[in-house]
Amino acid sequence: MALLEILTFPDPRLAQPATNVEVVDDALRQLIDDMFETMYAAEGVGLAAPQVGVLKRLIVLDCGEREKDDQRPLPPVQPYAIINPTIVAKEGEIVWEEGCLSVPGYTDEVNRAAKVTVKGLDRNGQPLHIEAEGLLAVCLQHEIDHLEGTIFLDRLSRLKQSMVKKKLRKKAEEEARP
Ligand code: GNR
Ligand code: NI
């Protein structure tokens, strides 16, 4: 088990497309376990491999409902690991207030499909088919975006995007050389 470093905007690796996983082996399953551990430790509901510097099409998520003031450490509620995920159907529209572990300290409303059907492979290489709505649907779209090198900031209006990205670049620069 190991905690992985989560890359933050504007790391160029977050803007690169990921490539398909060709073999589902123990090394990949170890990466999946480490991604879950990293995601729970960061209190995220999803994590895509490029966020930990691995440019492969792999995501983990756990968007299960949790009691609001449950103080216990995040337990796995509805965990999914999806290898080579693709959206095969989408329907409707929903606006969701999104955040991203790679964009700490900023959230904003994003338009997404309200329902999605996602296909891919599970950790054993078996076919997986998920029909989702609500937070799970939003999360699947957010994570699959990461595999294309897209972050939620890219889905804001052009004006907002340029303002927010400029601020975040400045903040990252200040943190790099204070
Ligand atoms: O933890 C996360 N919360 C979240 C909230 C609303 C919409 C999407 C997300 S995903 C995010 C974790 C993350 O950055 N995954 O890539
Ligand atoms: Ni994200």
Side-chain angles (χ1 to χ4, degrees):
M1 294 288 271
L3 281 178
L4 307 171
E5 186 194 345
I6 299 176
L7 307 179
T8 56
F9 180 87
D11 192 296
R13 287 168 285 182
L14 293 170
Q16 284 176 26
T19 58
N20 264 322
V21 171
E22 302 293 347
V23 277
V24 180
D25 56 11
D26 285 342
L28 191 80
R29 282 183 280 271
Q30 182 63 56
L31 174 61
I32 289 171
D33 291 342
D34 292 344
M35 284 173 61
F36 271 120
E37 190 185 352
T38 303
M39 179 186 81
Y40 289 123
E43 303 203 25
V45 295
L47 190 68
Q51 291 181 279
V52 293
V54 178
L55 294 176
K56 286 184 186 168
R57 295 189 62 92
L58 165 65
I59 63 176
V60 298
L61 34 142
D62 189 341
C63 302
E65 296 276 329
R66 292 176 177 84
E67 291 297 326
K68 204 162 177 48
D69 33 48
D70 193 334
Q71 295 300 320
R72 290 172 297 173
L74 289 185
V77 177
Q78 192 189 27
Y80 289 103
I82 316 176
I83 300 161
N84 300 340
T86 56
I87 296 173
V88 294
K90 47 170 89 178
E91 200 186 306
E93 276 184 44
I94 192 173
V95 176
W96 204 279
E97 181 84 18
E98 297 195 17
C100 181
L101 293 173
S102 297
V103 188
Y106 185 78
T107 66
D108 211 335
E109 292 184 338
V110 180
N111 294 302
R112 298 286 189 183
K115 293 184 183 179
V116 293
T117 305
V118 170
K119 284 187 178 170
L121 301 174
D122 69 14
R123 60 183 291 134
N124 298 312
Q126 299 300 308
L128 194 65
H129 175 112
I130 301 173
E131 282 176 30
E133 54 183 44
L135 175 61
L136 181 57
V138 169
C139 211
L140 283 163
Q141 293 169 83
H142 176 115
E143 301 315 334
I144 292 170
D145 262 359
H146 276 299
L147 305 182
E148 314 296 342
T150 299
I151 55 175
F152 81 103
L153 301 177
D154 299 319
R155 299 200 175 275
L156 305 179
S157 74
R158 297 182 77 98
L159 178 64
K160 207 174 226 182
Q161 217 181 110
S162 61
M163 290 191 316
V164 172
K165 286 182 177 178
K166 191 175 164 188
K167 263 196 181 169
L168 291 171
R169 281 195 194 98
K170 192 169 169 228
K171 194 177 131 211
E173 218 169 87
E174 285 167 2
E175 283 168 5
R177 9 175 228 91

